[in-house]
Amino acid sequence: MESIVIRGGRPLHGEVTVSGAKNSALAIMAATILQGDEHKISGMPGLRDIATMKKLLQYLGAEISGSDELIINTGNIACQEAPYELVKTMRASFLVLGPLVARFGRAKVSLPGGCAIGLRPVDYHIKALEAMGVSITIDKGYVHAVCSKLKGASILFDMPTVGATENVMMAACLAKGTTTIKNAAREPEVVELAKALRHMGAYIKGEGTDTIVVEGERPLQPLAYRVMPDRIEAGTLIVAGGITGGDIRILNCPVECMGSTLEKLRDIGIDIEEDKDVVRVRRKGDLQPVEITTHPYPGFPTDMQAQVMALLTVTKGTSIIRETVFENRFIHVAELDRMGAHIKVEHDTAVVTGVKQLKGASVMATDLRASASLILAGLAAEGTTVVSRVYHLDRGYESLDKKLYKLGADIQRQQV
Ligand code: EPZ
């Protein structure tokens, strides 16, 4: 098992480049199922989750080569089953359901099950596909989907859901007639998927708003697309600059879709200078406490909550963080408290009382963003922090330890 060892207290300096967006790349990879041809996706991040999606597509029969530029040929897909062994390791595997049932009229996809941050049901995905004429039964932990002819439908989600919006958008491209998705997710990764589908020939409008309209049955072509930069990695790197009091430049930063994140980090006291897709990050004086509530896009992203909490643990004063998207996304609190943070959790709210100094400790990563939070805390802590179970980190960050090392952090990976 690998751990990451950090000796804290070193301000970061230098330049770092943001990698491709995990949550955009995964959806676009699933979309290649819709059209049996050779697709090219460039700007791919080197992540465990990408490797898992590659494995799943190959299990279905796709031929895949390349790494930074993925060549995916889905012409010979002969299997429409996504097995539990793969789906349980990565919930985004469920995104193959819509494309499989749309192209082949059937699919057998394992229920993803919950994960550390919440139960994460898929009822919205199922209800929406049923409205499009898919008959779905759940048996022995699998979703069995059959459909002779997919038809467009008007879908209204109780709450904006990224994955269900993406599954429906992809299926709707091959459905007969028009599909309208109301209360659609507005995340940039959903917008990117719509753009990629449009590049394939689909007729889609309204992405980025709460109503997306898809006209089905447009002939689709092979895709050639470049993945957008990862706004959550970019936000994480900005926190790294701020928590260490350094001066760093972050390249390939998607500032145009980071409004709420940048605003909140500036409120806390991080000086962020924008110059197109380059940001310069410094710290001006003391950090200030804030109140944060996570929301679906364009609100403050839940995927930045754990990282900003690490920053707030060393901020003068008391901050309040309310997590409204996932019901169990405070697991990092206990580990941060072991480093000397003062955080109290009551239901969906964490009260963070800033301390002068965190102390290095051995801590355990429990999920992707929690692992980033512990590393950020380790960068600021006095002494040595050992973060175990870093396979969580590698799911969604491309060589984050190496990137931080190049910025001057005393950080290394070790086998334990
Ligand atoms: C996507 O997950 C992201 N993952 C998550 O990023 C992100 O946190 C989340 O969107 C919210 O922004 C990928 O894109 C691969 P949701 P997703 O459906 O699609 C509930 C990371 O750290 N819900 O928008 O699974 C659900 O339980 C990961 O990179 C239902 O109740 O999120 C949650 O409370 C973590 N029924 C809320 O909606 C459903 O059928 C939002 O979930 C679907 C969702």
Side-chain angles (χ1 to χ4, degrees):
M1 189 94 82
E2 283 188 319
S3 286
I4 285 180
V5 182
I6 306 153
R7 287 170 195 80
R10 294 169 67 143
L12 302 184
H13 290 88
E15 270 187 7
V16 64
T17 300
V18 178
S19 299
K22 165 176 82 81
N23 293 347
S24 178
L26 291 169
I28 293 172
M29 287 173 80
T32 63
I33 294 170
L34 290 168
Q35 205 265 351
D37 216 315
E38 185 170 277
H39 307 273
K40 289 193 177 75
I41 310 174
S42 57
M44 290 295 294
L47 305 171
R48 283 168 59 96
D49 276 7
I50 298 297
T52 303
M53 184 60 92
K54 273 166 73 173
K55 228 186 276 175
L56 174 55
L57 291 175
Q58 286 166 329
Y59 180 90
L60 298 175
E63 288 131 45
I64 302 181
S65 57
S67 52
D68 174 74
E69 179 179 79
L70 268 193
I71 314 281
I72 303 178
N73 191 319
T74 55
N76 298 324
I77 285 185
C79 161
Q80 287 81 38
E81 178 180 340
Y84 175 62
E85 295 65 43
L86 286 173
V87 179
K88 75 177 178 195
T89 59
M90 184 189 65
R91 173 188 171 75
S93 310
F94 204 68
L95 291 174
V96 303
L97 175 63
L100 283 174
V101 74
R103 179 173 163 198
F104 299 101
R106 65 182 182 284
K108 179 184 171 191
V109 178
S110 167
L111 285 167
C115 75
I117 63 175
L119 287 173
R120 303 187 74 182
V122 286
D123 50 332
Y124 297 161
H125 299 244
I126 289 170
K127 199 167 154 227
L129 290 172
E130 286 176 329
M132 298 174 76
V134 181
S135 69
I136 288 181
T137 51
I138 311 270
D139 184 38
K140 301 191 183 70
Y142 278 81
V143 170
H144 298 261
V146 177
C147 178
S148 48
K149 185 64 204 144
L150 208 53
K151 57 185 184 3
S154 180
I155 310 284
L156 168 63
F157 286 127
D158 291 352
M159 62 192 279
T161 145
V162 170
T165 300
E166 291 171 337
N167 243 330
V168 170
M169 218 161 55
M170 290 187 282
C173 291
L174 300 186
K176 185 171 178 43
T178 305
T179 298
T180 304
I181 308 171
K182 294 192 185 103
N183 204 12
R186 300 166 54 187
E187 272 69 5
E189 295 76 21
V190 174
V191 171
E192 283 297 298
L193 176 62
K195 287 181 186 166
L197 291 168
R198 195 177 293 125
H199 272 70
M200 290 174 78
Y203 179 94
I204 295 183
K205 61 180 185 184
E207 70 276 3
T209 74
D210 61 5
T211 303
I212 296 175
V213 177
V214 183
E215 298 293 350
E217 292 192 310
R218 299 293 171 101
L220 298 183
Q221 318 298 327
L223 175 66
Y225 203 74
R226 183 166 189 79
V227 176
M228 69 175 281
D230 193 313
R231 61 193 170 103
I232 304 301
E233 183 197 10
T236 305
L237 291 167
I238 293 173
V239 173
I243 205 169
T244 60
D247 180 350
I248 64 174
R249 281 162 46 85
I250 302 172
L251 313 181
N252 196 33
C253 193
V255 292
E256 70 286 351
C257 62
M258 295 178 67
S260 53
T261 299
L262 298 180
E263 187 182 332
K264 199 51 82 173
L265 293 176
R266 286 181 172 124
D267 290 349
I268 295 171
I270 299 181
D271 183 27
I272 303 168
E273 264 174 62
E274 297 173 30
D275 176 8
K276 298 192 189 68
D277 66 345
V278 178
V279 297
R280 182 180 181 188
V281 176
R282 283 175 293 176
R283 198 158 103 189
K284 286 178 307 189
D286 289 339
L287 297 172
Q288 302 305 320
V290 293
E291 298 210 3
I292 295 178
T293 300
T294 65
H295 287 292
Y297 194 88
F300 186 86
T302 174
D303 292 349
M304 275 300 301
Q305 181 257 106
Q307 299 91 304
V308 174
M309 185 183 284
L311 179 65
L312 295 173
T313 63
V314 289
T315 296
K316 259 203 187 94
T318 298
S319 299
I320 310 281
I321 300 178
R322 197 162 158 253
E323 172 56 63
T324 69
V325 177
F326 291 107
E327 68 271 25
N328 190 36
R329 204 170 198 175
F330 284 142
I331 318 167
H332 42 283
V333 167
E335 297 302 295
L336 289 170
D337 280 353
R338 298 187 61 248
M339 297 177 71
H342 285 181
I343 309 166
K344 289 283 160 277
V345 172
E346 188 96 13
H347 304 303
D348 63 357
T349 301
V351 179
V352 185
T353 307
V355 295
K356 201 162 167 19
Q357 179 76 57
L358 293 176
K359 299 275 186 273
S362 291
V363 290
M364 187 174 76
T366 50
D367 61 84
L368 168 57
R369 305 303 172 186
S371 47
S373 173
L374 296 172
I375 286 173
L376 293 168
L379 292 175
E382 184 186 66
T384 301
T385 299
V386 181
V387 183
S388 61
R389 300 194 178 184
V390 288
Y391 56 84
H392 288 293
L393 184 79
D394 297 333
R395 290 193 51 181
Y397 288 94
E398 185 172 32
S399 310
L400 183 62
D401 47 319
K402 288 200 186 104
K403 290 186 176 183
L404 294 171
Y405 179 81
K406 284 198 188 119
L407 289 172
D410 182 345
I411 182 169
Q412 60 187 12
R413 199 175 275 254
Q414 65 175 16
Q415 288 291 347
V416 279

